[in-house]
Amino acid sequence: MPSSLTLVYVMFMCFYFSRSDDYVLDDKLGRTFDGIGGLSGGGATSRLLVNYAEPYRSQILDYLFKPNFGASLHILKVEIGGDAQTTDGTEPTHMHYENDENYFRGYEWWLMLEAKKRNPNITLIGLPWAFPGWVGHGENWPYDFPDITANYVVSWITGAKRSHGLDIDYVGVWNERPFDSKYIKLLRYTLDKNGLDKVKIIASDNLWEPIAFYVLQDEELSAAVDVIGAHYPGTTTIKEALESDKTLWSSEDYSTFNDEVGGGCWARILNQNYVNGMMTSTISWNLVASYYENLPFGRDGLMTAEEPWSSNYVVESPIWITAHTTQFTQPGWSYLQTVGHLNKGGSYVALTDRKGQLTVVIETMTHDHSVCIRPPLEPFEVTPQNVTFHLKGSFASISQLQLWKSRFDFKTKNPVFFQKLDPVKISNGSFTLNLDVDEVYTLSTITTAQRGAYPDPPPSAAFPKLYKDDFNVRNPPFTEAPDFADQTGVFEYFMNLTDPGPHVFTLRQVVTQRPVTWVADADQTISVIGDYSWQNITVTCDVLIEKTKNGAVFIAARVDKGGGDVRTTKGLFFWVYADGTYKVTSDIQGTTILTEGKSGTSSDIWYTLSLSIKGDTATGMLNGSLLWKSAVVSGKVPKNGWAAIGTSSFEVAQFDNFSIEAE
Ligand SMILES: *[C@@H]1O[C@H](CO)[C@@H](O)[C@H](O)[C@H]1NC(C)=O
Ligand SMILES: *[C@@H]1O[C@H](CO)[C@@H](O)[C@H](O)[C@H]1NC(C)=O
Ligand SMILES: *[C@@H]1O[C@H](CO)[C@@H](O)[C@H](O)[C@H]1NC(C)=O
Ligand SMILES: *[C@@H]1O[C@H](CO)[C@@H](O)[C@H](O)[C@H]1NC(C)=O
Ligand SMILES: *[C@@H]1O[C@H](CO)[C@@H](O)[C@H](O)[C@H]1NC(C)=O
Ligand SMILES: *[C@@H]1O[C@H](CO)[C@@H](O)[C@H](O)[C@H]1NC(C)=O
Ligand SMILES: *[C@@H]1O[C@H](CO)[C@@H](O)[C@H](O)[C@H]1NC(C)=O
């Protein structure tokens, strides 16, 4: 090739490869931004958080909610507890029975108050997953008596205000379950009748269809619904949702193990839920992974706080990815119309407060480093690229932008999250960035952002091998005993003021009717505790079967399951019955019997049960005397699992002086 041509070729290639792609940001506005949120519940995902000692508990809350510190969330969505299993446990309702009302149960009230304390502007959302049995009049369906359901949900909202001064901003219908248009209209009517016309309705926390079709066809329904909320939309929406002119949200998303791929998933969907699907809010299931890791979807939270016994917690990458958007925007800002995909892969969004502030968030996550738990992700390419943004209109006068960067580093494992770099000078209305893959950038006129930090928490440690709870030392705001994770039924602190004996303060299972369930709760109640790896342990507990003549209670070891699979839980279960018998089974249903016999037990009398398992054999004691021994468990009982307590049906029963000795 002649040398002059070679030179031209080289010059051309240099120009070609070093050229930068151009993007224009101007004043044309897109949709209103509603904020980034976290979801506590659905279910019991914050269960262990409340049991953290200070100052660690407050530190975790700061990383989640404190403005200009960490995730600085704009939205907190919580489960309206329904006494039923909703993924990682049950959450108590404010109305166990029709004539019962209590707005201090569980931890969601406390969590909303802590969030508000840090960010008075935080948006609050409530959504039921399940309902107490009386709402369905015994049917596993909440719409047969829609007025009862609507009043029940509205009472949660009025109770939030009356008991805690909390204003709930949005309420949903029935999580990931069928909706009923008549019920949604009645819910709107009931809210309005109670002076709650400001409370907006999200529907239907499931797929885009059929709710978008119904909203398009039914004016009255359309008037009742403020937001169409879809779950795990894979960043896309449907034509009918756009035609409805409704606000569109990804009202539950993420649910991905919170390692760096989880962080990458979160970075990609936070941008692309708007770029591809016009969704103006994205809410993470879940807020914080504060449940036993061996329950379903372990660590699918923005950060991890699953060890109240050690106080260890981990600020995972999704916290800092959230900060890239939340610390530089507020709900009520507008997206610009000029948002989109970058030519070599990745995406950018731009937002403004319409008073001169501008925030641009860029992500270049590659396919394999941003896969979410669902839906499957189609292949796509991302390569390094140079991008030039041109600021037009009212943004043309901006002279510099703050620059914050995260870099996932899957090769050398040396990632950088939410690092402040030197501001970018805008020359002649534009700036250029050299983007590598798997990076996130924020450029903004907002100068208040900070990477909050506390000293490292104590190191991770296993659940203590010696554990005791006499339920006498109370943690007043909470109704549950520390570290117990209810998987069917609700186990609450109980105080018997007429009892002069040793059992004044106890733990009591209080759900007496099968709830309107979300998944298949067991027919028995059960609360698990401890270390999933435990093999050889002794579990001891005082138990009281109340009232019923055919009731029973159990203590258990090596319990292998919770969550939606709780019906098929295996373990070693030691039951005593009010009819004077006992039974040892390897399943929660009490059907696979290892040994059984007479115990002389009856209702309304306290007994001390003790269960020991070591290797392949087990023994059981009643009131300190051997009741059965050498039950062979080999091949029948799981090799390891949690300890547990429970009842044979939805019946009241009490527990006291619980203790564990693990080897
Ligand atoms: C980006 O621009 C730099 C010069 O600033 C150049 O060295 C580099 O090759 C360019 N990268 C790409 C992918 O074009
Ligand atoms: C709350 O919102 C108001 C009005 O938008 C704003 O002035 C204030 O700074 C916000 N407070 C916090 C803590 O974000
Ligand atoms: C500034 O930008 C305009 C168009 O964006 C261009 O015509 C002009 O040459 C640029 N001036 C300089 C000094 O780069
Ligand atoms: C409370 O204690 C009294 C006196 O011991 C007893 O008769 C009663 O059954 C107890 N009530 C409950 C609900 O445990
Ligand atoms: C059981 O707990 C009660 C208090 O609830 C206490 O008075 C009693 O001593 C405990 N019994 C044992 C054996 O620990
Ligand atoms: C077990 O002890 C309780 C008192 O704690 C007593 O009322 C009960 O009769 C005892 N039962 C047996 C079978 O010994
Ligand atoms: C449990 O006990 C058996 C029998 O003594 C023993 O083989 C096994 O190693 C023990 N497991 C643990 C975790 O200590």
Side-chain angles (χ1 to χ4, degrees), residues 494 496-501 503 506 508 544 546-547 604 606 654:
F494 180 68
N496 187 346
L497 288 173
T498 64
D499 188 348
H503 300 292
T506 67
R508 192 186 201 199
L544 178 75
E546 285 186 59
K547 297 179 193 99
D604 299 310
W606 281 94
Q654 290 176 60

Side-chain angles (χ1 to χ4, degrees), residues 58 296 398 413 544 553 587 631:
S58 290
I398 292 172
K413 300 275 174 213
L544 178 75
V553 297
D587 64 339

